[in-house]
Amino acid sequence: CIRDRRISLANIQLCYPKLSEEEQPRMAKDSLINTSICMIESTWMWAHKYPAIAKKVRSIENEELVTACVEQGRGVVLVLAHFGNWEMYPAYVGYNYKNGVALVKDTEIDAFDKLLHKSRGRSGGVVAPCTREGLTQMYQLIAQGGVAAVGADQEPDPKHGCFAPFFGQQALSSVLTQDILQKTGAKAIGSTFLRLPKGTGYALKFFEIDEAIYSKDLQASTAALTQAHEQIISIQPEQYNWCYKRFRARPEREPAVY
């Protein structure tokens, strides 16, 4: 819709100022197409368990980063972004790991949320809502050596965030991941399901994150988190969900974006 295109373009103009006036709208359009494809694909995935979904995964890169921690009994936080097909993760962690958990944000429409929880949890594991109870359950599972999928790349409540660089802009960013790492001793690993061309499937990727993410200095750890998000997005920026008001909150004296 016009609103989503306008927001996407505003974000891209901030984050990719060197793109031409022709390239920026093209990226916004391609991003909206990819986000729409993700939603369509998700309806199929919600109806199937991970073994069927896994047939569409054409390659897996650096998964040993996760399995090594699991073998040692150390919890893992998969640092995700709303990129590619992020809806793959509840099935992936639920099927492949004991104490697998995916953190999700409910729509606050009870009947729809119950359906989504059932569908996302079809492959096993726990689907934890962003509530006090859901977060407590997730922390407990990670502390027990579980693997959690956490997409904390969107703007949090100001009480639960701080500003950090994101593509050269100061963006209010979540401190949830950093808190989990401090309290559970888990390892943070970046990950994404990259959509391959022409509907041929996905490439599952894992990568190391800057050690600063474990710092007790929130500015340093949050900057490491947003750097991980940048690393994911930079793989193929048009696969990121840009139609979200990522810069709604602004530092003092900075002009509004939207």
Side-chain angles (χ1 to χ4, degrees):
C1 69
I2 294 175
R3 174 183 173 277
D4 288 342
R5 183 181 181 280
R6 177 176 55 80
I7 294 169
S8 298
L9 184 58
N11 287 334
I12 290 167
Q13 287 171 337
L14 272 182
C15 296
Y16 287 92
K18 293 184 179 180
L19 291 180
S20 70
E21 292 183 358
E22 292 77 26
E23 291 170 325
Q24 289 172 339
R26 188 180 308 127
M27 182 185 288
K29 178 181 177 181
D30 289 343
S31 169
L32 290 170
I33 291 171
N34 273 288
T35 299
S36 298
I37 291 171
C38 177
M39 295 300 99
I40 294 169
E41 291 171 340
S42 297
T43 60
W44 179 86
M45 284 186 290
W46 292 336
H48 293 80
K49 293 185 178 181
Y50 189 71
I53 297 170
K55 293 177 182 178
K56 297 181 178 294
V57 181
R58 305 305 179 196
S59 64
I60 301 178
E61 181 181 315
N62 296 328
E63 192 175 30
E64 66 275 7
L65 294 174
V66 182
T67 56
C69 290
V70 171
E71 289 169 2
Q72 297 166 10
R74 184 182 183 185
V76 172
V77 176
L78 297 180
V79 174
L80 318 177
H82 287 76
F83 175 96
N85 196 317
W86 59 89
E87 282 288 347
M88 302 276 278
Y89 281 96
Y92 171 76
V93 298
Y95 183 81
N96 288 292
Y97 303 107
K98 181 181 179 182
N99 295 330
V101 54
L103 184 67
V104 301
K105 186 174 182 179
D106 284 347
T107 66
E108 299 183 3
I109 302 172
D110 288 343
F112 187 55
D113 287 333
K114 287 179 181 178
L115 176 62
L116 282 181
H117 279 240
K118 180 180 178 180
S119 300
R120 286 167 166 161
R122 195 177 299 277
S123 296
V126 172
V127 178
C130 292
T131 60
R132 183 184 298 274
E133 294 78 12
L135 290 170
T136 298
Q137 185 178 28
M138 182 183 67
Y139 275 68
Q140 291 172 342
L141 291 170
I142 296 170
Q144 294 167 16
V147 177
V150 180
D153 59 314
Q154 297 187 336
E155 189 176 281
D157 183 296
K159 294 181 293 185
H160 303 117
C162 70
F163 282 95
F166 180 66
F167 286 101
Q169 303 294 322
Q170 287 294 313
L172 183 63
S173 303
S174 173
V175 298
L176 173 64
T177 300
Q178 304 88 296
D179 187 65
I180 296 170
L181 300 177
Q182 290 291 329
K183 291 180 178 176
T184 67
K187 180 177 178 64
I189 298 172
S191 184
T192 190
F193 273 102
L194 173 70
R195 182 178 297 104
L196 300 176
K198 299 180 180 179
T200 53
Y202 309 91
L204 174 56
K205 298 176 178 289
F206 299 92
F207 61 90
E208 293 275 11
I209 294 177
D210 191 308
E211 289 290 317
I213 199 168
Y214 304 103
S215 173
K216 293 183 179 180
D217 180 336
L218 270 184
Q219 293 291 335
S221 61
T222 307
L225 177 73
T226 56
Q227 182 182 16
H229 293 151
E230 286 185 25
Q231 187 171 342
I232 292 170
I233 296 164
S234 296
I235 297 171
Q236 200 169 322
E238 60 269 28
Q239 288 203 32
Y240 187 57
N241 179 21
W242 289 106
C243 62
Y244 170 82
K245 293 184 178 180
R246 184 64 182 88
F247 303 101
R248 188 195 308 268
R250 300 293 284 158
E252 190 175 352
R253 293 187 293 276
E254 287 286 333
V257 174
Y258 312 108

